[in-house]
Structure formats: C-alpha cells, structure tokens
Amino acid sequence: MDMELMELGSRIKVRRKQLGMNQQELAEAVGYKGKDMISRIESGQVNIPMDKVVEIAKALDMKVSE
C-alpha cells in the first residue's frame, strides 16, 4: 500500500469524525452515491483525482495542504 494514500485517508477520517460526519454524509457532500468510496479512500486503497481531493477538503472545511 502507498503510505501517502494511507496518510491522506487517515487525515480525512480524523477530520470527518471531528465534524461528526459519517462516511455516507461525506460521500453525498462530494458527489459519490454511497459510502464505499469514502471507506476505500480512508483505508488508502484508492488514488483519488485532485478535483475530488479539493471537494473533500471543502466538505471537511480544510485546506488541500492539510
């Protein structure tokens, strides 16, 4: 597994939980139909395009650099 993807996923998961969001809520906020993709992102299983990174950061009220 790619360590950078795992780190990105971990940061997304921590922030999502800080905000009290579940995976389904985040998925819907960024245009995914279900929580499966968020689960895969958080576990570092998939490489996501930069436009989705931007959308996720916005949904989590974060900067992309975070």
Side-chain angles (χ1 to χ4, degrees):
M1 279 195 184
D2 187 315
M3 292 305 289
E4 286 183 25
L5 291 179
M6 291 183 71
E7 176 68 21
L8 174 64
S10 176
R11 288 176 186 228
I12 289 169
K13 184 176 186 174
V14 167
R15 181 62 178 158
R16 175 180 60 76
K17 288 185 172 197
Q18 286 174 343
L19 294 175
M21 293 177 84
N22 64 37
Q23 289 179 336
Q24 184 65 39
E25 290 167 331
L26 179 56
E28 290 171 5
V30 298
Y32 290 126
K33 290 185 170 109
K35 67 178 185 172
D36 293 346
M37 183 57 86
I38 298 301
S39 175
R40 292 177 66 208
I41 290 167
E42 288 182 351
S43 63
Q45 295 176 3
V46 292
N47 193 1
I48 53 176
M50 194 61 192
D51 63 324
K52 280 296 183 192
V53 173
V54 171
E55 286 182 43
I56 290 171
K58 196 177 297 185
L60 296 176
D61 195 28
M62 299 173 75
K63 294 181 177 122
V64 173
S65 60
E66 295 179 275

